Amino acid sequence: MNAEQRLLLRHAILRQLAATAPASLPPATLLHGVALAGFRLTSDQLQNELDYLAGKNLLQITPAALSHGLPRARLTPAGRDYLEAEALI
C-alpha cells in the first residue's frame, strides 16, 4: 500500500467513526467498512492503523462496556477537527 492509499484508508476509518459519533465501533465493523471502501485488510493491519490514528489523537480506543476484552474505537474532537479541516465531513 502506498502513501496515498494509506491516507485514503485512514480517511475511510475516520469517516466511519464520524458517521456514528458519539457512538463507538468495534474493529470488526470498521473492517467491513473499509472493505466496502475497497480496502482488503487483515485484522492486524487494521489494528496497526487504529493504533496509528490513536497515537495521533484522532481516535480513542476503549474497552466495550460489557466486555473489557473487546475494544471499540471512537472519534476524538481532534479527529472531527481534522475531518472538517480536510472538508471530509
Side-chain angles (χ1 to χ4, degrees):
M1 184 177 307
N2 64 37
E4 184 177 341
Q5 291 169 326
R6 182 161 275 120
L7 179 64
L8 292 173
L9 168 63
R10 291 171 179 165
H11 284 170
I13 293 168
L14 292 173
R15 290 179 77 186
Q16 282 185 79
L17 294 172
T20 61
S24 60
L25 292 174
T29 301
L30 291 168
L31 196 58
H32 288 296
V34 297
L36 290 172
F39 296 97
R40 300 291 179 245
L41 301 179
T42 66
S43 294
D44 288 340
Q45 289 171 316
L46 176 65
Q47 190 59 54
N48 288 339
E49 294 302 325
L50 294 177
D51 291 341
Y52 174 84
L53 292 168
K56 295 288 188 179
N57 195 35
L58 299 176
L59 63 81
Q60 179 182 21
I61 301 171
T62 57
L66 296 178
S67 181
H68 196 272
L70 298 176
R72 296 181 68 89
R74 174 187 322 267
L75 190 68
T76 62
R80 178 164 293 286
D81 290 347
Y82 171 81
L83 291 173
E84 288 175 353
E86 296 292 318
L88 295 171
I89 57 170

